[in-house]
Amino acid sequence: MPHTPQIVLDALYHISRLVSDTEDPQEALQLILDEVMRVLPATSASIALVNPDTQLLQIEVERGLPSNSKGLELPLGQGITGWVALHGRPLIVANVHDDIRYFKLNSDVHSEMAVPMLLDGRAVGVVNVDSDKIGAFGEQELKILTLLTGEATKVVGRLWLISQLRVKARQLESLITTGQTLVSKLELQAVLDTATQQGLALMPCRLCAVFLLNSDSQSLRMAALAGHEIGSPNPGENIALTDSVIGSAIRHKKQVEVLSLLRMEEHHFAKLIPAAKLVSLLCTPILVGDHAIGALNVYTDRHHRFNNDERRIFATLANLCAVAVQNAELYSRVFASEESLRKNERLTTLGLLAAEIAHEIRNPLTVITLLLDTLDLSFPEGDARGHDLDVIREKLGHLGEIVERVLGFSKSGASLQARWSLGAIVEETLRLLRPKLEQSKVIVHVHPSPRPLIVDAHKGQLQQVILNLTLNALQAMPQGGTLDIEFHDETRDHIRQAVVTMRDTGPGVPPAIRSRVFESFLTARTDGTGLGLAICKRILRDHRGDIELVETASPAGATFRFWLPVTGG
């Protein structure tokens, strides 16, 4: 008999030494099967393990079986090995062709013996031997295979444990590195991109994504994605909380696992899930205190049950992400505060300079006004020069008012307001700019309102608004163009407002500054001060109105719209 006590003892010794001889569980299985074949009268053999994700019995190593048997999966209970794995009991079948449980792999097999690999009372696999003879295995062979399988299970269990400890050590090291990397990032997008990239490094998954809650608290947007090459989803697309399991994770502030995305109506990544063959999902809420700000999602392209260790790892990564997001937001606020302080400092300096300039020009302005009056200029009725003289006197008065307003900055200009026709103010301002418009080859089209628009306003200040907007349009059209000015009235916040829309045919406002176009000192021109639009906004708000840049589908041209209350409206 080939299985003498000494041969069996040698086999047990060789199997027990595998812990020190190899660190690879797969290599250990190969060596174990060699020892089993050396001891028992088998013509073929295999070791199959239970996949913890799919709960299928999968052949890991084999000897003497067809080449296509490697990786074969059987449901628990199917075949002789499946029956042994399901019931956790060894089994001898003298003639497999008389047993309905037999799953045919090799037509030369006539008898079979299988023993479960029991770890902590649970079957984790099956060691199986076959023979081309009927009744090749008896109770003695079963005792030997049970003995060898028991020792092999202990060895494989230890190697699995060592392998898991190494994986955990790598993951812990990766988490430490991730934490150090995340806290060093000062921009929000850099934080989110790093979090998704580190998510891929923590475990073999198909992709990792971060979703953030929108300000409405009812929808999400995808903020970062890593690990996908097929064609990324639209990053600006919003996802309703009610349309996705992500919403459930955020509402309940708990991790949510989906074993099979294809079997449920999951609306996020609707096209990507089948295209990228995404199968399983772990969704982890990103919590700042007791408030969820988003979710960290990790996807696999195979059925996978996320164990407790993996859940804890991604919960830790989500916590690191939350801290980094807070740091990035704090940095952004600090930066904005510093920028605001610098701007205020510049405004203070500008205010002091303006006061000095106003003080210096007040006396020359007074002299000019007095000398103009002493000239006693008179022109025949109907002479345009007479009207021009009236305008000069009015503008000198306007300049005087500006000087006094700068010198007495804290005084209110409300007492200087009167009732004016908004159309008349615009028409008069355009008349002042007539030579400049002709020189610039800009044609102005005015579209009046069907109803008169009377406003309570400081005429000079409103003319300053029209003047600034028109000059901006002229500078945007150095080769000439068209400026359309439209008037109408509408109700805003239950108040009838006079609305003026000014549209030019220039290149438009650069996208980079559109959201900040009314900030002080912001300009896209090398010769600009960045104060014109900021002054327009301040004047209109002082008149209980406002101004906005109208976003248009066409990249050409800039459209500004301003409004203020209609008197008696």
Side-chain angles (χ1 to χ4, degrees):
M1 296 288 292
H3 44 75
T4 63
Q6 186 59 46
I7 293 177
V8 175
L9 287 174
D10 288 344
L12 287 171
Y13 173 74
H14 291 152
I15 291 174
S16 65
R17 278 187 54 84
L18 287 175
V19 173
S20 57
D21 291 343
T22 182
E23 297 178 354
D24 184 3
Q26 189 71 16
E27 182 182 357
L29 291 175
Q30 298 277 6
L31 295 173
I32 289 168
L33 200 57
D34 289 340
E35 292 298 326
V36 170
M37 290 287 288
R38 189 170 65 85
V39 173
L40 293 172
T43 55
S44 60
S46 66
I47 297 178
L49 300 179
V50 178
N51 187 315
D53 295 325
T54 63
Q55 290 300 299
L56 295 175
L57 192 64
Q58 180 175 322
I59 295 179
E60 295 291 332
V61 294
E62 53 80 24
R63 295 288 185 272
L65 293 178
S67 58
N68 61 354
S69 63
K70 180 77 165 59
L72 179 68
E73 293 180 331
L74 290 174
L76 297 184
Q78 183 175 337
I80 292 172
T81 53
W83 186 93
V84 170
L86 179 64
H87 295 87
R89 300 202 304 268
L91 183 65
I92 299 176
V93 179
N95 188 344
V96 295
H97 301 290
D98 294 336
D99 196 310
I100 60 174
R101 293 171 295 190
Y102 178 63
F103 183 84
K104 185 177 180 180
L105 273 179
N106 188 344
S107 59
D108 294 334
V109 171
H110 287 84
S111 58
E112 184 174 349
M113 178 170 61
V115 174
M117 301 174 68
L118 298 176
L119 196 62
D120 297 329
R122 179 173 55 91
V124 296
V126 176
V127 179
N128 181 83
V129 293
D130 309 309
S131 175
D132 56 4
K133 298 178 182 178
I134 296 176
F137 307 112
E139 290 299 322
Q140 185 179 4
E141 286 77 18
L142 182 60
K143 289 179 181 178
I144 293 172
L145 184 58
T146 302
L147 189 63
L148 296 176
T149 300
E151 188 62 29
T153 304
K154 294 176 184 177
V155 170
V156 172
R158 293 191 195 103
L159 290 176
W160 281 344
L161 181 59
I162 293 171
S163 178
Q164 289 172 358
L165 289 175
R166 284 198 175 91
V167 170
K168 290 179 182 178
R170 287 196 299 269
Q171 290 173 335
L172 179 59
E173 183 179 357
S174 180
L175 279 175
I176 293 173
T177 304
T178 299
Q180 294 171 340
T181 304
L182 284 175
V183 296
S184 68
K185 302 294 183 182
L186 298 179
E187 294 183 358
L188 178 60
Q189 192 58 51
V191 166
L192 301 177
D193 289 340
T194 300
T196 54
Q197 291 161 7
Q198 292 301 319
L200 293 180
L202 287 172
M203 68 167 285
C205 52
R206 184 70 172 90
L207 60 84
C208 184
V210 170
F211 292 85
L212 292 182
L213 202 61
N214 288 323
S215 57
D216 60 7
S217 299
Q218 300 299 318
S219 61
L220 296 153
R221 62 179 177 88
M222 190 190 72
L225 177 68
H228 179 54
E229 308 86 15
I230 294 177
S232 298
N234 180 8
E237 183 179 359
N238 288 334
I239 302 171
L241 289 182
T242 55
D243 287 346
S244 172
V245 296
I246 310 175
S248 177
I250 289 178
R251 285 195 302 272
H252 300 291
K253 301 171 188 174
K254 292 181 180 180
Q255 288 179 316
V256 173
E257 179 183 12
V258 178
L259 185 59
S260 179
L261 288 165
L262 296 173
R263 294 183 180 179
M264 62 181 298
E265 294 182 2
E266 183 52 43
H267 297 290
H268 87 283
F269 289 173
K271 295 181 180 178
L272 181 61
I273 288 173
K277 299 180 180 178
L278 303 181
V279 180
S280 299
L281 159 69
L282 178 65
C283 177
T284 305
I286 300 174
L287 302 175
V288 175
D290 292 333
H291 176 61
I293 63 170
L296 174 70
N297 285 11
V298 60
Y299 306 80
T300 66
D301 54 6
R302 67 189 189 283
H303 283 94
H304 181 73
R305 294 182 184 275
F306 294 89
N307 57 43
N308 290 335
D309 288 336
E310 291 168 336
R311 287 172 173 267
R312 282 193 290 267
I313 285 169
F314 283 103
T316 302
L317 179 60
N319 290 336
L320 290 173
C321 185
V323 172
V325 167
Q326 284 183 292
N327 287 342
E329 290 178 346
L330 285 173
Y331 171 77
S332 177
R333 285 199 289 269
V334 168
F335 182 81
S337 298
E338 290 179 352
E339 183 66 22
S340 177
L341 288 173
R342 284 194 294 269
K343 187 179 293 184
N344 288 338
E345 184 179 350
R346 293 174 67 186
L347 285 171
T348 301
T349 303
L350 182 64
L352 293 173
L353 181 61
E356 290 181 13
I357 293 173
H359 184 270
E360 291 299 322
I361 67 174
R362 179 170 57 177
N363 290 339
L365 187 62
T366 302
V367 171
I368 292 172
T369 304
L370 291 174
L371 289 177
L372 180 64
D373 290 337
T374 61
L375 291 177
D376 195 21
L377 296 175
S378 60
F379 299 95
E381 186 176 352
D383 193 323
R385 290 176 296 174
H387 176 74
D388 291 342
L389 184 61
D390 293 338
V391 172
I392 290 173
R393 287 195 177 95
E394 181 182 339
K395 292 309 162 189
L396 285 173
H398 184 201
L399 287 174
E401 292 173 3
I402 293 175
V403 168
E404 294 302 325
R405 202 160 59 244
V406 171
L407 292 174
F409 193 75
S410 61
K411 296 178 181 179
S412 171
S415 59
L416 300 175
Q417 292 186 358
R419 291 192 174 185
W420 300 94
S421 166
L422 187 57
I425 292 177
V426 172
E427 182 181 351
E428 185 174 321
T429 306
L430 293 176
R431 188 160 49 244
L432 294 174
L433 289 171
R434 183 178 66 250
K436 183 69 173 176
L437 290 168
E438 292 175 356
Q439 180 186 358
S440 301
K441 298 179 181 179
V442 172
I443 300 173
V444 179
H445 296 301
V446 179
H447 307 276
S449 169
R451 295 191 291 177
L453 300 177
I454 307 300
V455 296
D456 282 331
H458 186 292
K459 180 182 178 183
Q461 290 184 351
L462 279 192
Q463 284 186 322
Q464 189 174 354
V465 171
I466 303 298
L467 192 67
N468 283 342
L469 292 174
T470 304
L471 290 176
N472 281 352
L474 294 182
Q475 289 162 348
M477 299 181 289
Q479 306 302 320
T482 302
L483 176 63
D484 284 294
I485 304 178
E486 300 177 0
F487 296 83
H488 72 278
D489 64 307
E490 63 182 47
T491 301
R492 287 174 176 256
D493 299 326
H494 309 292
I495 298 174
R496 183 177 170 228
Q497 305 277 0
V499 182
V500 179
T501 302
M502 302 181 67
R503 184 183 301 106
D504 64 51
T505 55
V509 179
I513 65 172
R514 284 177 185 166
S515 62
R516 302 181 294 127
V517 73
F518 295 105
E519 292 183 11
S520 300
F521 305 112
L522 183 72
T523 179
R525 303 199 316 270
T526 56
D527 60 340
T529 63
L531 289 171
L533 290 176
I535 291 173
C536 289
K537 195 171 190 68
R538 179 181 60 77
I539 290 174
L540 289 166
R541 286 189 170 179
D542 287 344
H543 284 75
R544 296 180 296 127
D546 210 340
I547 185 172
E548 65 182 1
L549 172 64
V550 180
E551 296 288 345
T552 59
S554 171
T559 301
F560 287 90
R561 179 188 296 125
F562 69 86
W563 60 91
L564 59 165
V566 174
T567 299

